[in-house]
Amino acid sequence: MINKLITKIQETNAPIVVGLDPMMKFVPEHIQKAAFAEYGETLEGAAEAIWQYNKGIVDAVYDLIPAVKPQIAMYEQFGIPGLVAFKKTVDYCKEKGLVVIGDIKRGDIGSTSEAYAVGHLGKVTVGSKSYYGFDEDFVTVNPYLGSDGINPFIKVCKEENKGIIVLVKTSNPSSGEFQDRLIDGRPLYEWMGERVAQWGADCMPETGKYSNVGAVVGATYPEQGKILRKLMPNTFILVPGYGAQGGKGADLVHFFNEDGLGAIINSSRGIIAAYQQEKYAKFGSEGYADASRAAVEDMIQDIAQALENR
Amino acid sequence: MINKLITKIQETNAPIVVGLDPMMKFVPEHIQKAAFAEYGETLEGAAEAIWQYNKGIVDAVYDLIPAVKPQIAMYEQFGIPGLVAFKKTVDYCKEKGLVVIGDIKRGDIGSTSEAYAVGHLGKVTVGSKSYYGFDEDFVTVNPYLGSDGINPFIKVCKEENKGIIVLVKTSNPSSGEFQDRLIDGRPLYEWMGERVAQWGADCMPETGKYSNVGAVVGATYPEQGKILRKLMPNTFILVPGYGAQGGKGADLVHFFNEDGLGAIINSSRGIIAAYQQEKYAKFGSEGYADASRAAVEDMIQDIAQALENR
């Protein structure tokens, strides 16, 4: 799956991923009104609103980008109807040829981790048949429980040619509370990065340099990104925190390898709620999807320029 | 919510929680057959099977126990129909008066953590209305991302009088890979325990000794449990790993405070798949629920005895 992602990045010349994190405050009023007219102000109404909102954005940007990253929490908050909208979004993005990174941050042990892995990446057995549950291409995974939590995912990734992306150094201000603590003179995130590289060595595709096990390292920590880039040479890094969280194009160059690959930069609200920014206000809320397209084009240019100037 | 749990523990004299982790290999054949006859060998069929299986167990044991802990991964693997069965299980257990601990191990940051919190513990806003999504009483939370991930849960816990249980030292063999690493001479799990005690101080109920923020510490690590018990005097400890994972009654006494409270011991397959053990084989698969009741009675006695003998 990592090779499909790399091919898509090369085709689009855009090492970016659009985070589909549809908070209701981002959804334009006309979409909310139409959804509530059909389903009422219910969980089903909210789910319809976020689905239609997503669909508009995906239709407007899918030809520019290699991948999307729906954040499952933003769907799960609306209970079962919200998760139905998540599944519709995953399926629709795959129909459009996009690589789908489920931002689910699951993590458990043994048979429980295996259940998450089969539910999100693989097939679950029912009697003599088997079925895909959510069927993302990659999912994010939390490693606090160690290898017992990661290995069941790797097993399913091998069977299904899919991938995981492991939290190493997250983009939030308090990520240092535990991740930066020194262990034998080195911060926890470095130990985690080394471990991710080892897990990744066990999950290489048949050809190519990069593993199906990636890492999350926040754009807001460029110095740490530089170190982790070297510690994990064969690891693709998913970089959240661009835009709204404060990361800039110039901060991002060290997340990439010399081959111009090895990183994919996420932007969520910076793209999907672009119409709410002054810069894209001219599109208005009716033109929210066109605003998202313009924001994607600007982001691609920002990153390309930063990579050229490095 | 912690006070409700304590009252239930005192009423039943049973500091235990039954883990509702319905793997298909535990579900008796007659239940699978009936479900597949109605829905086919489909995700819906699997969901019906695990729901009927759960219902049988809950009906058999609800008067003996204070709480259940459904493990959402075991439902999520069956996609949307599986999550419908999860929700039915949560609702049914609450109808039966049980405290429901959603073992969801979620954890993210800021508005995303808030979305998980409102989806599982609180109410989500839709236009002028608001709705509960999954509506558990407690949920388990992964703390690798620091306070940015925990505080949104605490906010919702305060609003709704609910609780969270934070992973500190997990029961699995590889939990030491990161959790045991020494930071300034003390293992990470101790630092985490201290932090949980601080988060807990911010989430005390109006009366009583114990916080609405609890901790997970595995039964398989009794020595660590002893230390963490002292570090977090006002924290309820959820203790997985009893039975199938190797923890014994005698290992558990140090997880309790002198008041006989402060811990709740989980058993999952040891209870729900008791009929598959030699000890309870006489019940047969048709009598699986009665086998679960017998196993609950034995577990209560084992723990009571261990506490008496300490």
Side-chain angles (χ1 to χ4, degrees):
Chain A
M1 190 50 72
I2 190 68
N3 287 334
K4 181 176 174 187
L5 179 62
I6 290 170
T7 302
K8 295 275 303 174
I9 290 171
Q10 289 170 329
E11 282 170 8
T12 54
N13 208 13
I16 72 168
V17 52
V18 172
L20 296 175
D21 308 0
M23 299 176 79
M24 282 301 270
K25 67 182 180 189
F26 301 156
V27 180
E29 213 187 318
H30 68 281
I31 292 178
Q32 293 198 34
K33 264 194 176 163
F36 294 160
E38 197 172 349
Y39 295 95
E41 287 181 345
T42 59
L43 294 176
E44 288 76 13
E48 171 69 9
I50 61 177
W51 154 243
Q52 291 296 343
Y53 170 64
N54 281 348
K55 187 171 176 301
I57 293 166
V58 172
D59 286 342
V61 306
Y62 77 94
D63 59 316
L64 298 178
I65 59 172
V68 290
K69 182 174 73 65
Q71 166 51 260
I72 200 169
M74 293 303 170
Y75 305 80
E76 200 166 319
Q77 68 179 327
F78 298 111
I80 302 291
L83 287 159
V84 171
F86 176 80
K87 175 65 179 142
K88 275 164 92 166
T89 300
V90 170
D91 289 347
Y92 189 71
C93 292
K94 289 177 73 172
E95 270 172 50
K96 289 283 180 184
L98 294 163
V99 172
V100 176
I101 302 167
D103 197 353
I104 66 172
K105 295 189 180 66
R106 302 300 195 253
D108 209 290
I109 55 171
S111 56
T112 312
S113 249
E114 196 179 330
Y116 280 129
V118 301
H120 285 277
L121 298 173
K123 291 187 288 287
V124 70
T125 301
V126 182
S128 60
K129 306 205 172 140
S130 61
Y131 297 93
Y132 286 101
F134 288 99
D135 201 17
E136 298 102 305
D137 296 317
F138 288 88
V139 292
T140 56
V141 177
N142 186 313
Y144 185 65
L145 296 91
S147 297
D148 297 330
I150 303 297
N151 288 333
F153 277 96
I154 289 178
K155 178 173 164 271
V156 173
C157 287
K158 286 179 180 176
E159 288 164 7
E160 299 281 339
N161 183 27
K162 294 209 170 171
I164 56 171
I165 306 178
V166 180
L167 303 184
V168 172
K169 173 65 183 165
T170 56
S171 61
N172 54 306
S174 81
S175 72
E177 276 178 26
F178 304 109
Q179 298 164 24
D180 289 1
R181 297 300 300 270
L182 294 182
I183 294 166
D184 291 342
R186 298 169 71 199
L188 173 58
Y189 63 77
E190 287 191 24
W191 294 102
M192 192 64 79
E194 281 197 353
R195 204 73 192 79
V196 167
Q198 290 164 6
W199 288 323
D202 184 32
C203 202
M204 294 297 292
E206 281 181 29
T207 60
K209 173 180 170 181
Y210 291 99
S211 171
N212 276 311
V213 176
V216 173
V217 183
T220 42
Y221 297 104
E223 288 307 313
Q224 291 87 333
K226 206 184 286 188
I227 293 160
L228 287 164
R229 176 66 288 162
K230 282 178 191 142
L231 270 180
M232 313 181 293
N234 304 112
T235 303
F236 238 79
I237 302 179
L238 170 68
V239 187
Y242 176 87
Q245 285 184 51
K248 294 183 198 78
D251 295 335
L252 299 171
V253 294
H254 301 296
F255 291 91
F256 290 86
N257 275 323
E258 292 301 315
D259 59 5
L261 289 169
I264 186 161
I265 316 298
N266 179 77
S267 179
S268 299
R269 71 186 65 185
I271 304 294
I272 68 173
Y275 77 99
Q276 293 181 346
Q277 295 171 43
E278 212 183 304
K279 188 174 176 188
Y280 304 104
K282 64 176 180 214
F283 290 98
S285 67
E286 295 273 347
Y288 79 99
D290 294 329
S292 294
R293 186 175 177 90
V296 165
E297 285 169 338
D298 289 347
M299 181 178 172
I300 291 172
Q301 206 186 352
D302 179 39
I303 291 168
Q305 212 151 35
L307 284 173
E308 266 171 40
N309 297 341
R310 75 165 163 175
Chain B
M1 190 52 71
I2 190 66
N3 287 333
K4 182 177 172 187
L5 178 61
I6 291 169
T7 302
K8 295 276 301 176
I9 289 171
Q10 289 169 328
E11 282 170 8
T12 54
N13 207 15
I16 74 168
V17 52
V18 172
L20 296 175
D21 308 0
M23 298 175 79
M24 282 302 268
K25 66 182 179 188
F26 301 157
V27 180
E29 214 188 316
H30 69 280
I31 293 178
Q32 293 197 34
K33 265 194 176 164
F36 294 161
E38 197 171 349
Y39 295 96
E41 287 182 343
T42 60
L43 295 177
E44 288 75 14
E48 172 68 9
I50 61 177
W51 155 242
Q52 292 296 343
Y53 170 64
N54 281 347
K55 187 170 176 301
I57 293 165
V58 172
D59 287 342
V61 305
Y62 78 94
D63 60 316
L64 298 177
I65 59 171
V68 289
K69 181 174 75 62
Q71 166 53 261
I72 199 169
M74 294 302 170
Y75 305 80
E76 201 166 318
Q77 68 179 328
F78 299 110
I80 303 291
L83 287 159
V84 172
F86 176 79
K87 176 65 177 142
K88 274 164 94 167
T89 300
V90 170
D91 290 346
Y92 189 70
C93 291
K94 290 176 72 171
E95 268 173 52
K96 289 283 182 183
L98 293 163
V99 172
V100 176
I101 302 168
D103 196 354
I104 65 172
K105 295 189 180 65
R106 302 300 195 250
D108 209 291
I109 55 172
S111 55
T112 311
S113 250
E114 196 177 330
Y116 281 130
V118 300
H120 285 276
L121 298 173
K123 290 187 291 287
V124 69
T125 301
V126 181
S128 60
K129 304 205 172 138
S130 61
Y131 297 93
Y132 286 101
F134 289 99
D135 200 19
E136 298 103 305
D137 296 318
F138 288 87
V139 292
T140 55
V141 177
N142 186 313
Y144 185 66
L145 295 92
S147 297
D148 297 330
I150 303 296
N151 288 333
F153 277 96
I154 289 178
K155 178 172 163 272
V156 173
C157 286
K158 286 179 180 175
E159 288 165 7
E160 299 281 337
N161 183 28
K162 294 209 170 172
I164 56 171
I165 306 179
V166 180
L167 303 184
V168 173
K169 172 67 183 164
T170 54
S171 61
N172 55 305
S174 81
S175 72
E177 275 178 26
F178 304 110
Q179 298 164 24
D180 290 1
R181 298 299 301 270
L182 294 182
I183 294 165
D184 291 344
R186 298 170 71 199
L188 174 57
Y189 63 76
E190 286 191 25
W191 294 101
M192 193 63 80
E194 281 197 352
R195 203 72 192 80
V196 167
Q198 289 164 6
W199 287 324
D202 184 33
C203 202
M204 294 297 291
E206 280 182 29
T207 59
K209 173 180 172 181
Y210 291 99
S211 171
N212 276 311
V213 176
V216 173
V217 184
T220 42
Y221 297 105
E223 288 307 312
Q224 291 87 334
K226 207 186 284 190
I227 292 161
L228 288 163
R229 177 67 286 163
K230 281 178 190 142
L231 270 179
M232 314 181 292
N234 304 112
T235 302
F236 237 78
I237 302 179
L238 171 67
V239 188
Y242 176 87
Q245 285 184 52
K248 294 182 199 78
D251 294 335
L252 299 170
V253 294
H254 300 297
F255 291 91
F256 290 85
N257 276 321
E258 291 300 315
D259 59 5
L261 289 169
I264 186 161
I265 316 299
N266 179 76
S267 179
S268 299
R269 70 185 67 183
I271 304 294
I272 67 173
Y275 77 100
Q276 294 181 345
Q277 295 173 43
E278 212 183 305
K279 188 175 175 187
Y280 305 105
K282 64 177 180 206
F283 290 99
S285 68
E286 294 273 345
Y288 78 100
D290 293 330
S292 294
R293 186 175 176 91
V296 165
E297 285 170 338
D298 289 347
M299 181 178 172
I300 291 173
Q301 206 186 352
D302 179 39
I303 291 168
Q305 212 151 35
L307 284 172
E308 263 170 41
N309 296 341
R310 76 163 162 179

